[in-house]
């Protein structure tokens, strides 16, 4: 047990990675069973993550070094890459890892039935496992180059997954290409930024960089590159154009994971700003940049969403809008980082709101995409105008949809309300207009979800859907688990904030703590 | 569920015109206005039969309105009462010999109170409501009346 | 606006229509204590010249069409168009009742809805009640009768006795 | 929100239409794309019934074409018969007829104003105007014996005289209206919330009104100076100088919107008061009916032959009756046309492009009397197949249910 | 925005309502209507009268059976066929549920045996009830 | 858990029930007064004051029809949701001298959200009934909801912000803070003007919250035959009526707490129990006055607006007023 605990960070990465290679082979023998196998792997990963989380929250940051200097990481294409891996897992990292673990586990379970009728499921699962691996990597690593590698893997596997359905028609392929272009550019830029660091400081360890940070011109340039590229990957306005396509064309289970991926990028953004730069930079300016990005995302996302007819596109725009809340919360925290009084009175709270919203968003957004998937699974369309009256046949899905919609609209007692409340309560002190906008966006969000509800679920039973049934159990299970978590979070937000979110925020704010652990550990 | 005293004191009314001359319809509207003000009895004109307790039917029932009359009667949730207002709804009145009139109302739905007049004075309609109250009280008082009514209908 | 008196109006029409006018007279009424006179012109024209008559009227003043009266006399179907002209000033208005007689088998007449759009309602009504074909009537749907009404039954024709059976005597 | 096109049928049973009438609307969002009228819901076959009754009976049938302005159709009908049979009406009767018709107009216009306010959700104004209306109803009840369907008209005159005792009462009513007129004008023409809902709504241009042969206040509000009382006056109107009222009297311009229609009607109330005063001042002495013996009258009419047209400017516009007598008890042809018959088509240009919320006020603005519209002959329709329950089923169900509930 | 209406409304608030509280102000509530009617009959309670009808109001018909000569003129003019001839005793029967209160029969009756009363509160549960038939 | 905490817990539950029942009763009672006053304004006698109770009991015995096209559990759930969320608000409102049952730091925001819930429930119910009138009504309700929410939110946040500026560290979105620190006392003359504008905003938002004329467009009787509620009958309708009644109390109390939280006992120099009673009575007086102007008077004196007019009245006109209020407040603070 102790051994497992000690090596948990490695196992979290290694398990899915290994499974990724085993899956195709397994698929040759028992094609039907891979889905169960993969779900089991994710289940174990989830357990490991939970164990790790317990440890971190009680004992503090874990630093895990992969054996010496010669370890290598094999890319799917067969390359091996000489690399030295240090994992530095603090409260923030594990927070993200938890999200990833939960979401990928549920995505896998959901896929059991959802992907049943597709061919090439072995490839699908392999990619899913790889994607999860890469996300874990991004979140756990303490090395900026490793981060890049995982970032790259996540892009490649996402592209492949988005285009997974392209055997049917051209749209997924188009979305995938869009995503690929975006990813390559951002990867290149990130690599360039990393190069800038390496050139200056000769190290790739984040803690080390942070401790050397001079905030030179080059650093500024790197910051700008990171900021734009990661904002782009997390789907913030004005670099959001890829999200609707990618989200709507990917299979629903993957969309859910993609949401988590974009959140991983967001995490990276925060990590770089807080852990790498922190007070060295002009926090007010950068904070305001984040806030403005956030407000724009919120507003544009929601207004674009209101006019959509494709259910998943609509939800995708909401993802953009929800990202705005996180940026807003964290941005406000950042803007007052250098002002201890304000930080204490509302800055930390704003960040708590933002970070809490990350997990909440992953949960309810996941749930909503899964219900959209369920609708697609049964009706074969994503066009809202073609659906109708489905509540007559799919009561569970309807119920889950209502929970998800209420949560995203920030209606008590669901989790969205908890994090949004924290955001409003802190943000208005910074600037009341921001709070007004944030609340307004919530109402608009509600409106557009009522619209979906109306066109998809309510109204008379349509002739063509007379025989439609509830979706299979595995899908219901995945949605039910998310719903339960959502309600739990909504009912006991204080608990979550205190034990999970607050440590994560403090981990972000306390740069010195971050650097000292790792440097001490080296 | 019980047909209790509250029912009488909060009669919500749906007005249905089945081809009348408007004379009675105007007097129904007049009922709401200050001179007569039936709201003092808790009577309220509603816009949908779903909310109604009482159907106020005017007009001799022409062919085109007949299915609607029945449909609306059906849509009105129980318990309910029907008051026919005006000579033409009560008996066909001046329209008795038209090929397009299939009335009177009681040929098609059970009627509780008739208010003859052409047009009826608003007070006469209030008197009709009074009759309805009396009838409801009687119905509450003894179940026998209902038995009788059923026997009547079956006969 | 130029106001014609009924005599001038009638002679104007006579000049233009010549012997196409089958019958015409001016009925005079008296109104009020002052017994001022007002006029109804009754005019019957040949069916072929009907449309031209309306055009002639229009050349004088935009006529107001009140209604078409249909009458199945048993031998023919008579239509009386009630027009009014020269409204807008006291006692200047003239009523013109224009009658045309149509044969009972397949009656037809030119539509004037293109000239006077207000005639649509009444032309459609006469069409479905008497089976008169209005040539050039743009809207062919029934106006009062249901669409599935039998196409060869015309309720206001004399032979339509079936109606009586629908009447219920005692109620 | 969504931009789908809804088809909503409004009517025949709908709160904004006291009478049955069906409209089919195609709606996008809140805008009306297409309007289709499906009249026929109120059809009672009145003209058909007229062919089986004698002239005196028809008067009461005509009265019940529509109860809102129940003096108008008998008026026009009596004029048509008098015209056809060459009956002279004594002058006193002509004056009494006008007094009744104008009291009727006051009643009807105030009634309409109240209904229009109700369509706007403005109940206070409904109550206010109907409170004011009761005064004239009391007077009418005194003069005629009934609040509506006065039964005042008879071929060749009127059935009841206006006696000396009545005069002060009539004057009192007129004074009351002169006093309250200002209130009405303030409430309807100066209230911002009425203006907001009615200005530039439901516009009918002069051209459209002319071409579609609109009549009455609907036409006058679009600037057409058409009013039979002015154009071809009859009865006591011939002794007066009546001017057709158009909205420019009040605003100086003609727009043809709903607000203009309100203006015309409110101003006509004042006009009616003046007319009645003139009639009272100049009320001639003499008989009130040319032939008081009804049995004799019936005999005369039975022998009459000829055709006649009777017209009357009803509150909603011109009512026209045509009658053909052919030496028999029953008329050979009776044709009645209510003003709404002509105004019907005006709805289409008015409603197109408006919002759903405007439907009630725009439809009400022509002051429709569907009662009048649908008297055309109609044979049994075969469309009523969807009827599921028979009467017996229904009654049994209902009684069973009521019984269950009373336990 | 003090619109003209607002002043009008405030005036009305101060004045007494114009409502004529026929027959009672509100539903009695505590006692049943039946009891109330009984009380009224016993003279223990009072009912507000309806708005008074004017002279010559056209209400329910009254008929002096004795003086009727059975000439049937009234039947001839009745627009709603409310009058039925009873051939055995040459008298008539008037059905109030069909009558439209036009008073035409009164006008034509050569011996003036018909007249209109002021009774207009005719609501009944049965339209063939004896109260609604005048013989 | 100690004995006393269990005791307090039980007390809270009892309090909850009591407040729920009282809220309903006061709401229905005020509805009766409202109808009576409206009738008097219109020169009528009007219904007895207990009429809303009678209506409620009547509706409860009526048959509850679920239309064929409706999804029963949603259709039936909507009114319950509406009522529950409205009653929940009551627990967060202080009534005069009686403090709120659940006081929390963010309860004002919670209230704003909960206020939107009945509307959402109404919309859901309307959509789920599958009638085209109801659908149009529901769309209108939605549009209206989005429109009036902006001025409402503006009012609430600006007030909180101003309070926070005056007393940093106070739990500003807690209603208790508002009732102990009336806004009029902490602002200068310009801020006073701003506060009046905000009060005006709140007063105008109220009729829409309660869907009464001139903002009853979603239920417009003459246009939509009852709109969203067209298919509701019996118990469900009764619940919606109750919701509306309770909401009336909520809106009135909210106005009082935000703008007129004064008690009368200091003026009368009372203390102890009599003061308490006086304050409660005074609270009710305030409630009735506020509701008279917010509900009765407005609904009697205005015509129904069209949905686009109503929407722009809120989104443009009223929001601008709210923002001007904000501006005044800000300027007032800076100078
Ligand atoms: S009873 Fe008389 S007044 Fe009433 S609707 Fe019928 S015909 Fe008209
Ligand atoms: S237009 Fe209407 S109200 Fe006027 S007389 Fe004709 S039916 Fe009566
Ligand atoms: S549409 Fe009709 S009214 Fe308009 S111009 Fe053409 S014919 Fe005239
Ligand atoms: S226009 Fe015709 S239908 Fe209408 S009331 Fe006059 S006669 Fe009757
Ligand atoms: S306008 Fe016509 S239908 Fe409407 S209330 Fe008046 S009389 Fe009735
Ligand atoms: S009053 Fe008129 S309807 Fe009645 S019985 Fe006499 S004639 Fe017939
Ligand atoms: S008219 Fe007079 S006398 Fe003749 S039958 Fe009738 S009631 Fe008798
Ligand atoms: S003569 Fe004719 S009118 Fe005279 S009393 Fe005899 S029946 Fe009547």
């Amino acid at each position: 047990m102790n051994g497992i605990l000690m090596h948990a960070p490695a196992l979290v990465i290694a398990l899915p990675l290994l499974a990724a290679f085993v899956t195709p082979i397994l698929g040759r023998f028992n094609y039907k069973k891979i889905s169960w196998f993969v779900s089991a792997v994710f289940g174990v990963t989830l357990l490991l993550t939970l164990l790790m989380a317990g440890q971190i929250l009680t004992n503090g940051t874990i630093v895990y070094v992969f054996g010496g200097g010669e370890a290598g990481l094999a890319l799917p294409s067969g390359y091996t890459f000489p690399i030295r891996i240090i994992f530095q897992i603090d409260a923030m990292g594990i927070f993200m890892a938890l999200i990833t673990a939960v979401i990928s586990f549920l995505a896998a379970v959901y896929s059991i039935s959802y992907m049943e009728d597709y061919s090439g499921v072995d490839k699908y699962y392999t990619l899913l496992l790889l994607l999860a691996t890469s996300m874990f990597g991004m979140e756990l690593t303490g090395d900026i180059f490793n981060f890049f590698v995982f970032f790259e893997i996540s892009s490649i596997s996402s592209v492949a997954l988005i285009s997974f359905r392209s055997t049917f028609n051209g749209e997924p392929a188009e979305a995938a290409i869009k995503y690929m272009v975006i990813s390559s550019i951002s990867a290149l830029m990130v690599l360039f930024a990393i190069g800038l660091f390496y050139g200056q400081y000769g190290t790739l360890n984040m803690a080390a960089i942070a401790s050397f940070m001079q905030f030179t011109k080059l650093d500024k340039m790197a910051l700008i590159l990171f900021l734009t590229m990661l904002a782009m990957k997390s789907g913030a306005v004005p670099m959001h154009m890829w999200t609707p396509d990618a989200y709507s064309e990917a299979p629903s289970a993957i969309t859910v994971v993609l949401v988590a991926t974009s959140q991983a990028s967001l995490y990276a953004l925060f990590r770089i700003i807080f852990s790498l730069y922190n007070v060295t930079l002009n926090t007010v300016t950068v904070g305001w940049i984040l806030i403005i990005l956030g407000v724009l995302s919120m507003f544009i996302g929601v207004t674009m969403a209101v006019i959509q007819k494709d259910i998943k596109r609509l939800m995708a725009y909401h993802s953009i809008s929800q990202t705005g809340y996180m940026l807003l919360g964290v941005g406000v925290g950042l803007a007052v980082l250098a002002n201890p009084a304000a930080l204490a009175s509302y800055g930390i709270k704003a960040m708590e709101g933002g970070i809490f919203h990350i997990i909440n968003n992953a949960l309810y957004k996941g749930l909503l995409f899964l219900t959209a998937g369920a609708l697609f699974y049964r009706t074969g369309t994503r066009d809202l105008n073609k659906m109708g009256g489905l509540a007559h046949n799919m009561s569970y899905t309807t119920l889950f949809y209502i929970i998800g919609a209420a949560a995203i609209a920030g209606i008590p007692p669901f989790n969205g309300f908890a994090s949004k409340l924290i955001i409003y309560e802190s943000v208005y002190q910074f600037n009341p207009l921001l709070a007004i906008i944030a609340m307004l966006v919530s109402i608009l969000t509600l409106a557009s979800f009522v619209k979906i509800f109306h066109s998809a679920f309510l109204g008379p039973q349509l002739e063509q859907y007379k025989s439609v049934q509830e979706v299979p159990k595995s899908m219901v299970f995945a949605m039910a688990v998310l719903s339960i978590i959502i309600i739990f979070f909504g009912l006991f937000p204080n608990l979550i904030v205190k034990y999970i979110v607050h440590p994560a925020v403090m981990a972000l704010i306390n740069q010195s703590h971050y650097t000292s652990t790792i440097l001490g550990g080296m | 569920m019980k047909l209790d005293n509250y029912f009488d004191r909060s009669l919500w009314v749906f007005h249905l015109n089945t081809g009348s001359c408007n004379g009675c319809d105007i007097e129904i509207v007049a009922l709401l206005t200050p001179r007569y003000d039936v709201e003092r009895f808790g009577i309220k004109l509603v816009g949908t039969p779903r909310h109604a307790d009482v159907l106020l039917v005017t007009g001799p029932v022409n062919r085109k309105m007949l299915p609607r009359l029945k449909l609306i009667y059906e849509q009105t949730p129980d318990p309910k009462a029907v008051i026919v207002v005006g000579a033409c709804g009560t008996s066909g009145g001046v329209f008795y010999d038209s090929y397009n009139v299939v009335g009177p109302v009681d040929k098609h739905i059970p009627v509780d109170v008739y208010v003859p007049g052409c047009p009826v004075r608003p007070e006469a309609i209030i008197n009709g409501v009074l009759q309805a109250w009396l009838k409801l009280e009687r119905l509450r008082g003894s179940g026998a009346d209902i038995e009788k009514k059923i026997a009547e209908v079956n006969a | 606006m130029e106001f014609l008196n009924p005599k001038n109006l009638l002679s104007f029409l006579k000049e233009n229509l010549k012997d196409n006018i089958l019958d015409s007279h001016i009925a005079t009424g008296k109104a009020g204590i002052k017994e001022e006179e007002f006029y109804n012109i009754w005019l019957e024209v040949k069916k072929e010249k009907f449309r031209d008559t309306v055009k002639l009227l229009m050349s004088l003043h935009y006529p107001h069409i009140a209604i078409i009266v249909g009458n199945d006399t048993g031998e023919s179907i008579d239509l009386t168009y009630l027009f009014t002209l020269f409204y807008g000033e006291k006692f200047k208005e003239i009523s013109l009742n224009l009658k045309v007689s149509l044969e009972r088998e397949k009656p037809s007449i030119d539509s004037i809805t293109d000239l006077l759009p207000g005639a649509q309602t009444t032309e459609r009504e006469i069409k479905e009640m008497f089976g008169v074909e209005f040539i050039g009537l743009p809207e062919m749907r029934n106006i009062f009768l249901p669409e599935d009404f039998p196409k060869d039954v015309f309720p206001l024709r004399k032979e339509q006795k079936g109606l009586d059976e629908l009447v219920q005597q005692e109620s | 929100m969504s931009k789908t096109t809804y088809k909503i049928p409004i009517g025949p049973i709908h709160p904004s239409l006291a009478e049955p009438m069906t409209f089919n609307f195609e709606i996008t969002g809140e805008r009306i794309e297409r309007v289709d009228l499906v009249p026929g819901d109120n059809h009672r076959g009145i003209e058909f019934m007229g062919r089986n009754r004698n002239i005196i009976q028809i008067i009461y049938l005509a009265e019940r074409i529509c109860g809102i302005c129940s003096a108008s159709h008998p008026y026009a009908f009596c004029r048509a018969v008098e015209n056809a049979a060459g009956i002279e009406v004594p002058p006193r009767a002509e004056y009494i007829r006008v007094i009744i018709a104008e009291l009727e107009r006051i009643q009807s216009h105030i009634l309409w104003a109240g209904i229009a306010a109700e369509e706007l959700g403005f109940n206070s104004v409904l109550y206010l105007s109907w409170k004011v209306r009761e005064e004239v109803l009391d007077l009418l009840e005194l003069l005629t014996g009934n609040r509506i369907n006065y039964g005042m008209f008879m071929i060749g005159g009127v059935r009841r005289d206006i006696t000396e005792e009545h005069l002060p009462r009539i004057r009192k009513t007129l004074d009351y209206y002169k006093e309250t007129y200002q209130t009405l004008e303030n409430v309807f023409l100066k209230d911002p919330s009425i203006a907001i809902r009615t200005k530039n709504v439901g516009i009918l241009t002069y051209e459209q009104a002319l071409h579609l042969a609109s009549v009455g206040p609907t036409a006058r509000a679009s600037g057409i100076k058409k009013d039979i009382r002015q154009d071809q006056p009859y009865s006591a109107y011939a002794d007066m100088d009546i001017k057709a009222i158009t909205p420019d009297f009040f605003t100086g311009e003609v727009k043809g919107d709903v607000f203009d229609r309100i203006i015309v009607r409110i101003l006509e109330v004042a006009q009616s008061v003046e007319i009645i005063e003139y009639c009272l001042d100049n009320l001639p002495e003499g008989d009130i009916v040319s032939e008081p013996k009804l049995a004799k009258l019936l005999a005369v009419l039975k022998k009459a032959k000829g055709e006649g047209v009777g017209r009357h400017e009803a509150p909603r516009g011109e009512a026209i009756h045509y009658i053909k007598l052919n030496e028999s008890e029953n008329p050979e042809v009776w044709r009645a046309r209510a003003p709404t018959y002509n105004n019907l088509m005006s709805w289409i240009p008015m409603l197109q492009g408006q919002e759903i919320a405007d439907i009630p006020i725009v439809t009400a603005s022509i002051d429709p009397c569907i009662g009048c519209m649908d008297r055309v002959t109609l044979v049994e329709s075969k469309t009523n197949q969807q009827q599921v329950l028979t009467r017996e089923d229904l009654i049994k169900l209902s009684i069973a249910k009521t019984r269950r509930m009373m336990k | 925005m003090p619109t003209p209406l607002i002043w009008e409304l405030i005036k009305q608030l101060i004045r007494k309502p114009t409502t004529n509280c026929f027959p009672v102000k509100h539903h009695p509530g505590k006692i049943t209507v039946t009891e109330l009617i009984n009380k009224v009959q016993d003279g223990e309670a009072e009912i507000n009268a309806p708005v008074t009808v004017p002279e010559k109001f056209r209400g329910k018909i009254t008929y002096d059976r004795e003086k009727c000569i059975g000439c049937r003129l009234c039947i001839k003019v009745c627009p709603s066929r409310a009058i039925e001839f009873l051939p055995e005793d040459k008298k008539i029967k008037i059905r109030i549920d069909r009558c439209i209160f036009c008073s035409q029969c009164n006008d034509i009756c050569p011996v003036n045996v018909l007249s209109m009363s002021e009774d207009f509160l005719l609501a009944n549960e049965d339209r063939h009830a004896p109260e609604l038939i005048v013989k | 858990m100690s004995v006393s905490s269990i005791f307090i817990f039980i007390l809270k539950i009892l309090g909850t029930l009591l407040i729920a029942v009282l809220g309903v009763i006061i709401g229905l009672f005020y509805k009766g007064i409202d109808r009576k006053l409206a009738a008097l304004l219109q020169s009528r006698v009007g219904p007895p004051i207990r009429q809303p109770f009678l209506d409620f009991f009547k509706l409860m015995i009526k048959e509850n029809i679920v239309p064929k096209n409706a999804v029963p559990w949603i259709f039936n759930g909507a009114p319950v949701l509406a009522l529950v969320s409205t009653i929940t608000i009551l627990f967060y409102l202080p009534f005069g001298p009686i403090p709120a049952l659940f006081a929390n730091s963010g309860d004002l925001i919670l209230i704003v959200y909960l206020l939107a819930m009945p509307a959402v429930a109404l919309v859901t119910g309307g959509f789920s009934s599958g009638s085209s009138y109801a659908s149009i009504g529901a769309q209108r309700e939605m549009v209206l909801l989005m429109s009036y929410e902006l001025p409402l939110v503006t009012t609430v946040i600006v007030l909180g912000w101003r309070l926070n500026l005056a007393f940093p560290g106070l739990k500003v979105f807690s209603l208790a803070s508002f009732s102990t620190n009336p806004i009029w006392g902490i602002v200068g003359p310009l801020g006073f003007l701003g506060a009046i504008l905000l009060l005006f905003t709140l007063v105008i938002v109220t009729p829409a919250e309660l869907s009464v004329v001139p903002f009853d467009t979603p239920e417009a009787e003459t246009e939509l035959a009852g709109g969203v509620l067209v298919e509701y009958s019996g118990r469900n309708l009764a619940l919606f009526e109750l919701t509306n009644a309770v909401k009336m109390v909520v809106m009135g109390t909210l106005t009082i707490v935000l703008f007129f939280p004064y008690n009368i006992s200091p003026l009368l120099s009372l203390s102890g129990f009599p003061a308490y009673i006086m304050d409660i009575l005074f609270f009710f007086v305030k409630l009735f006055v506020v509701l008279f102007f917010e509900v009765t008077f407005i609904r009697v004196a205005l015509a129904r607006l069209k949905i686009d007019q109503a929407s722009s009245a809120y989104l443009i006109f009223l929001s601008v007023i709210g923002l001007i209020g904000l501006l005044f407040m800000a300027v007032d603070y800076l100078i």
Side-chain angles (χ1 to χ4, degrees), chain A residues 386-399:
Chain A
K386 294 196 183 127
M387 298 183 206
L390 291 167
H392 291 276
N393 314 66
M394 303 168 72
S395 356
Y396 285 120
T397 311
T398 315
L399 184 67

Side-chain angles (χ1 to χ4, degrees), chain C residues 109-124:
Chain C
I109 188 166
D110 289 325
S111 163
I112 53 164
T113 297
D114 53 333
L115 303 175
L116 310 174
Q120 200 202 81
T121 319
T122 181
E123 284 193 352
R124 278 166 72 186

Side-chain angles (χ1 to χ4, degrees), chain D residues 35-244:
Chain D
V35 191
D36 194 13
L37 294 177
V38 192
D41 294 313
N42 202 5
H43 172 63
R44 288 154 291 172
I46 288 186
E47 285 177 353
F48 171 85
M49 286 186 267
R51 294 182 183 189
N52 298 323
R53 298 190 190 183
N54 65 38
I55 300 291
I56 289 183
Q57 286 172 323
I58 294 178
I59 299 177
Y60 299 97
L61 198 53
E63 193 167 78
R64 278 154 187 81
I65 284 169
C66 173
I68 303 179
C69 42
S70 57
S72 312
H73 285 289
Y75 199 161
F77 176 74
C78 289
R79 289 196 66 219
V81 174
E82 285 150 14
N83 199 332
I87 296 172
E88 287 265 335
V89 181
R92 186 174 176 88
E94 295 277 37
Y95 271 70
I96 294 176
R97 281 181 176 187
V98 167
I99 291 173
I100 298 295
E102 292 304 317
L103 286 174
E104 161 89 28
R105 191 182 315 278
I106 295 178
Q107 177 271 116
S108 172
H109 280 344
I110 298 180
L111 172 144
W112 174 81
I115 294 285
E118 198 210 355
E119 310 289 14
L120 294 175
F122 211 164
N123 279 336
S124 300
V125 175
L126 165 74
Y127 294 138
L128 183 77
S129 44
W130 281 52
K131 186 183 98 182
V132 170
R133 174 175 169 264
E134 287 292 335
E135 172 71 26
V136 66
L137 283 183
D138 283 347
L139 176 62
L140 280 167
E141 194 178 27
L142 172 73
L143 295 179
T144 70
N146 212 350
R147 286 159 55 90
I148 294 173
N149 291 347
Y150 314 111
M152 193 63 176
F153 288 81
M154 181 44 62
I155 310 296
V158 290
R159 289 174 62 197
R160 290 188 185 193
D161 199 1
I162 291 181
T163 61
E164 279 302 316
E165 302 89 79
H166 290 146
L167 292 179
R169 179 69 182 76
I170 302 177
R171 296 222 184 255
K172 182 184 144 242
T173 302
L174 295 180
D175 291 340
Y176 176 80
Y177 282 109
K178 277 190 229 157
E179 266 166 41
T180 40
Y181 176 73
Q182 202 50 46
T183 314
L184 285 179
E185 195 179 295
N186 282 341
V187 165
F188 283 97
L189 304 183
K190 299 195 176 138
D191 189 277
S193 60
I194 288 187
I196 243 181
R197 287 293 313 271
T198 56
K199 281 195 175 160
N200 295 319
V201 168
I203 290 180
L204 183 73
T205 61
Y206 180 88
E207 285 292 291
Q208 287 167 336
L210 187 67
H211 293 179
L212 295 174
S214 307
V215 292
T218 311
R220 293 196 281 276
S222 297
I224 298 180
K225 292 186 185 302
K226 184 163 172 33
D227 186 332
I228 321 177
R229 295 175 297 166
Q230 160 198 285
D231 301 331
Q232 200 187 81
Y234 47 96
S235 303
Y237 295 124
D239 300 334
M240 285 170 256
D241 270 324
I242 292 168
K243 281 266 157 288

Side-chain angles (χ1 to χ4, degrees), chain A residues 151-175:
Chain A
F151 189 69
E152 201 50 21
I153 301 175
S154 89
S155 303
I156 293 165
S157 44
S158 310
V159 169
L161 281 168
I162 290 168
S163 64
F164 187 74
R165 289 189 320 114
S166 61
T167 34
F168 299 106
N169 50 40
E171 281 153 17
E174 194 194 319

Side-chain angles (χ1 to χ4, degrees), chain E residues 21-90:
Chain E
C21 292
F22 165 80
V24 279
K25 194 168 172 193
H26 300 300
H27 185 287
K30 283 203 192 69
I31 55 170
T32 61
V33 178
T34 323
E35 281 163 14
L36 179 77
I37 302 269
N38 289 340
K39 275 193 178 174
V40 171
Q41 277 161 1
D42 299 346
E44 287 168 34
E46 251 183 273
I47 269 188
N48 303 320
V51 178
T52 43
V53 294
E55 218 188 329
K56 291 167 86 181
F57 175 79
R58 304 202 304 261
K60 184 180 168 185
I61 292 186
T62 55
Y63 172 50
D64 186 344
R65 192 179 172 87
E66 299 313 312
K67 290 197 194 134
C68 174
I69 54 170
C71 70
R72 299 213 237 169
L73 274 175
C74 50
I75 297 175
K76 191 170 174 62
V77 290
C78 177
S80 66
R81 215 177 270 189
I83 310 177
E84 219 174 284
F85 190 64
L86 306 172
E88 308 88 64
D89 40 5
K90 297 220 156 115

Side-chain angles (χ1 to χ4, degrees), chain B residues 80-109:
Chain B
K80 60 190 162 201
V82 177
I83 300 181
V84 170
V85 171
C88 56
T90 305
S91 63
V94 75
F95 308 115
Y96 64 97
D97 65 345
S98 171
Y99 57 87
N100 199 44
V101 168
V102 292
V105 177
D106 59 4
K107 263 180 137 177
H108 306 287
I109 60 171

